[in-house]
Amino acid sequence: QSVLTQPPSVSGAPGQTVTISCTGSSSNLGAGYDLSWYQQFPGTAPKLLIYANTNRPSGVPDRFSGSKSGTSASLAITGLQAEDEADYYCQSYDSSLRGYVFGTGTKVTVL
Amino acid sequence: VQLVESGGGLVQPGGSLKLSCAASGLTFSGSAVHWVRQASGRGLEWVGRMSSKDNTYATTYAASVKGRFTISRDDSKNTAYLQMNSLKTEDTAVYYCTRQIQEIVAAPAAIPFDYWGRGTLVTVSS
């Protein structure tokens, strides 16, 4: 029952652009709290992909980009590659819950 | 640079277990430590966090574990702990520890979870 909602799955062919949405509410994204994105491969720990809505840690390809507006945010993967097939999670803070929250997760499939 | 969790295993409902998270090669004492869990085939769930000494070692927990789980830390050993009591079958998951290098009270999500351990599996079953 996460407060951040993501589509269960998205898919695209190699080279295409896919976008993953993260929809929150007035107590998290709408309250101005920042958003991070994590990438997770099966059986491994999550890896930080985007922080503070739009920033990439060093080493993360610029094919990954984030945006945020109001109660929603998005992660775009341009020039999709086979190695991008993974689960992706958004994460923020919720003032009503007084804690950190993750999105429901999105599985990206490269066709 | 790594975080290594240990202490997972099989425990009966109602039982207790204490997980450890040992840090090496990275700044630990000034960081907040969080625990995140993931049930098999499910998404990530934030469990709780302990702040650094500068933030008075404050703790907060998810509603699902509040009153049953306790986070502690020993900065001299670069280690954090998750004491889990009154365990339920729904607590079965891989438990990850992760670091938040700095906490900004006015912007708690501004600093991400940058390093993660590989996780330790906790199975609650009779």
Side-chain angles (χ1 to χ4, degrees):
Chain A
Q1 63 273 18
S2 176
V3 298
L4 299 179
T5 303
Q6 301 177 231
S9 63
V10 298
S11 61
Q16 287 188 331
T17 296
V18 297
T19 301
I20 302 170
S21 62
C22 176
T23 303
S25 67
S26 58
S27 60
N28 41 70
L29 302 187
Y33 293 115
D34 291 297
L35 188 85
S36 296
W37 290 92
Y38 299 87
Q39 178 189 57
Q40 186 182 35
F41 296 103
T44 69
K47 169 193 171 185
L48 177 63
L49 209 57
I50 298 287
Y51 68 96
N53 308 316
T54 60
N55 297 278
R56 281 187 311 276
S58 62
V60 173
D62 59 7
R63 302 184 290 105
F64 295 92
S65 63
S67 64
K68 175 178 174 281
S69 178
T71 58
S72 296
S74 294
L75 173 71
I77 310 174
T78 58
L80 192 65
Q81 299 182 5
E83 65 201 53
D84 299 332
E85 191 162 286
D87 294 323
Y88 293 81
Y89 294 90
C90 58
Q91 174 260 315
S92 185
Y93 181 85
D94 190 280
S95 58
S96 294
L97 299 175
R98 297 183 182 179
Y100 294 79
V101 290
F102 286 93
T104 49
T106 298
K107 180 175 180 57
V108 169
T109 301
V110 181
L111 301 173
Chain B
V1 176
Q2 60 179 353
L3 296 171
V4 179
E5 303 92 340
S6 60
L10 175 64
V11 61
Q12 292 187 338
S16 298
L17 206 59
K18 187 173 185 177
L19 308 182
S20 299
C21 170
S24 62
L26 55 84
T27 301
F28 185 78
S29 60
S31 307
V33 176
H34 296 249
W35 289 89
V36 175
R37 68 183 181 183
Q38 185 171 37
S40 180
R42 306 293 294 272
L44 300 171
E45 179 188 13
W46 178 77
V47 172
R49 119 303 183 186
M50 173 170 266
S51 294
S52 65
K53 179 180 180 181
D54 289 347
N55 287 319
T56 69
Y57 295 129
T59 55
T60 52
Y61 301 93
S64 57
V65 306
K66 192 172 184 179
R68 300 188 300 123
F69 289 13
T70 303
I71 299 172
S72 60
R73 62 194 291 168
D74 184 339
D75 289 342
S76 67
K77 296 181 179 179
N78 277 344
T79 302
Y81 306 94
L82 178 65
Q83 176 68 48
M84 304 183 294
N85 299 330
S86 302
L87 282 161
K88 306 175 182 180
T89 55
E90 52 263 41
D91 295 318
T92 295
V94 173
Y95 284 74
Y96 297 100
C97 67
T98 181
R99 180 193 78 161
Q100 191 180 29
I101 193 169
Q102 180 186 4
E103 281 188 299
I104 302 173
V105 175
I111 308 299
F113 306 146
D114 57 354
Y115 287 101
W116 295 67
R118 293 184 176 183
T120 186
L121 176 62
V122 172
T123 303
V124 185
S125 174
S126 54

